[in-house]
Amino acid sequence: MKKAQYEKSAEVVRVYHGKTVPLLAQTEDYALALLRAAGRMREAEAETKARMKRQEILFRKEPPYLWILLDQEVLECRIGDHAVMRDQLGHLLKMGENPRTMIRVVARTVGWHPGHDGPLQIYKIRSRELAYAGAQIGGRLIEAGDEVATVAIRFEQIGALALSRDASRELIEQTMRTYE
């Protein structure tokens, strides 16, 4: 089973990404600009549509609880033009209004933290947890309980360093104003 298939049945999705907005929170314009910036011109439109399709899990009758941790750098690293970034940050703010979604930012002042090893995701499906560790041109699905537990601990360590929900929202709003 592929990562996207696990997302579809997940009750809880926990995501950390330090370099870009995670797929489940990207706007269409941000995703397209990101893929084009990465030189993926041929597949940019099809991949963007696939990313938007994956977000449908957030609109089902019982959407998963979504916990997103991201580094402050994600807010400040311009992808596309100012309008793309302003809309993307506005989208994060809107998502954060959902009681089932938690978006928290790790401030730059924290320095090194366990997320610097790369992006990670944890899916809770019924009583089972699975993890996914990202890498440059792929990643690895982790099903072994002890490894999943290690990834979950890293997520918690990053979360312990993140700003509160309200402080994260303020930082997103403040950064969004720089794109006006």
Side-chain angles (χ1 to χ4, degrees), residues 13 16 23 27 29 31 37 51-53 55 78 83 108 115 128 131 141 143 151 156 165 180:
V13 178
Y16 162 78
L23 299 182
T27 63
D29 288 340
R51 289 179 183 198
M52 298 305 106
K53 179 109 176 107
Q55 292 179 10
R78 188 173 54 84
R108 174 179 289 103
R128 183 175 182 210
L141 187 64
E143 298 185 63
V151 173
E156 296 302 324
R165 182 181 202 155
E180 292 177 351

Side-chain angles (χ1 to χ4, degrees), residues 56-114:
E56 289 177 4
I57 67 166
L58 302 176
F59 302 104
R60 65 187 190 208
K61 186 178 178 186
E62 281 289 321
Y65 286 93
L66 178 62
W67 294 73
I68 297 175
L69 298 175
L70 37 91
D71 287 345
Q72 183 176 354
E73 174 184 346
V74 173
L75 309 176
E76 298 169 347
C77 181
R78 188 173 54 84
I79 303 295
D81 61 21
H82 279 22
V84 169
M85 286 304 294
R86 186 177 52 250
D87 292 348
Q88 178 60 69
L89 298 186
H91 182 66
L92 289 174
L93 292 170
K94 182 78 174 155
M95 287 182 74
E97 293 172 3
N98 183 331
R100 295 177 77 96
T101 301
M102 174 73 64
I103 299 173
R104 295 178 53 215
V105 178
V106 180
R108 174 179 289 103
T109 56
V110 165
W112 187 92
H113 59 76

Side-chain angles (χ1 to χ4, degrees), residues 14 69 120 122 151-161:
R14 293 178 285 171
L69 298 175
L120 55 93
I122 304 154
V151 173
I153 288 169
R154 287 188 181 152
F155 185 87
E156 296 302 324
Q157 289 172 324
I158 299 164
L161 298 170

